[in-house]
Amino acid sequence: MIASDLSGLIGNTPLVKLSNLSGETDSTIFAKLEFYNPGGSIKDRVAQYIIRDAECKGLLKPGDTIVEATSGNMGVAFALLSAVKKYKCIFTLPESITKEKIQALKIFGAEVILTPKGLPPQDERSCYKVAHKIAREKGAFYVNQYFNELNPEAHYKTTGPEIWRDAEGRIDTFICGIGTGGTITGVGRYLKEKNPDIKIIGVEPVGSVFKAYLEKGQLTEGAEFDIEGIGKNFIPGVLKFDHINDVIQVKEAEASKMVDILVRCEGILAGGSSGAAIAAALKYARRSDKNENIVVILPDTGFKYLSKFSDTD
Ligand code: PMP
């Protein structure tokens, strides 16, 4: 197959059985390797879906500017598609982001604006408000992934069907991290429509507010956390809890340890949110009294975080 440009290589990522790690439980864990996307993360799917929609509606034409608040991956996804499609990009990022992600955005020619970390979207200094303000002032295209329904729809149309197809419908439980909530909302809806018995489980860092919201129906005060890409101190507009059965919380140290274990046991170098998702999957599998087929999303590559990981000198 020859793709007509890079956008033709997005999606259809592989599922791999984690043979060694699954051996610790009675279940079988399959990982969906989203770092096979050209930008190295699951966000390529969403960027492609949003750009296609905007082009169809005449909202984007070559030379236009795209603005977004991102933890890095969405920025890389828009930046690489913008190189192909000739858009300009401006991204606002919380200052805690790894230098690899910032460098990658700059290599693609994007303008990067760093904002203080951990601020809720209503705070004027937050990456969200700053992005919105820039987009308004420049008359640019504002992606707004936390409130843009095309974000979960991209996963409902691509990620969910791929999982169902490649697992040949033999899935008991689906597990993924929650950042914007796009993945869990879109994939969760698709899989529940196929089989309402499939359990949908979210993963967040300790300190994030999703588990409490699922259980109590109200927003609690969050605490600091540091796993890039997952966890929030607010409820994103696209995140729907209707199909979510449970949320498992993971400590940052557990996620980092699991990143190491994934490399050493399975040869997979993935990011911290992947470590968190696998740590949650193992906790879940050890608690389950059945032999389950568990599909876990690994959202991005560990090559984006080498400066953050220990033992790399
Ligand atoms: N992990 C990483 C590394 C991410 O960049 C993201 C996206 N923020 C997620 C997990 C969570 O995906 P979603 O936004 O679809 O909830």
Side-chain angles (χ1 to χ4, degrees), residues 43 71 73 151 155 177-183 228-230 273 299-300 305:
K43 287 296 182 179
S71 64
N73 282 330
N151 171 5
H155 295 292
I178 309 178
T180 64
T183 312
E228 273 185 45
I230 57 171
S273 73
D300 72 354
Y305 307 91

Side-chain angles (χ1 to χ4, degrees), residues 1-2 15 18 40 67 80 86 93 97 102 164 169 175 204 239 281 288 301 306:
M1 174 195 121
I2 299 179
L15 263 190
L18 302 185
V67 180
L80 71 87
K86 307 292 165 235
L93 287 87
I97 294 302
I102 296 170
W164 181 256
I175 299 184
E204 68 176 351
L239 172 58
S288 171
T301 168
L306 289 179

Side-chain angles (χ1 to χ4, degrees), residues 71 94-97 117-121 128 146 178-180 203-211 219-236 249-253 255-256 273 276 308:
S71 64
E95 62 201 357
S96 50
I97 294 302
K117 68 171 183 173
L119 297 176
Y128 318 100
Y146 289 88
I178 309 178
T180 64
V203 183
E204 68 176 351
V206 172
S208 169
V209 298
F210 301 139
K211 186 172 179 62
L219 187 60
T220 48
E221 202 173 321
E224 280 225 354
F225 52 82
D226 186 20
I227 304 178
E228 273 185 45
I230 57 171
K232 287 284 167 283
N233 50 11
F234 66 96
I235 307 297
Q249 292 201 320
V250 173
K251 292 188 193 121
E252 199 212 337
S256 316
S273 73
K308 207 175 176 182

Side-chain angles (χ1 to χ4, degrees), residues 184 200-203 211 214-215 244-248 284 287:
I184 199 160
I200 307 294
I201 299 192
V203 183
K211 186 172 179 62
L214 177 71
E215 289 171 0
I244 302 180
N245 296 91
D246 195 7
V247 174
I248 296 177
Y284 174 81
R287 284 203 303 250

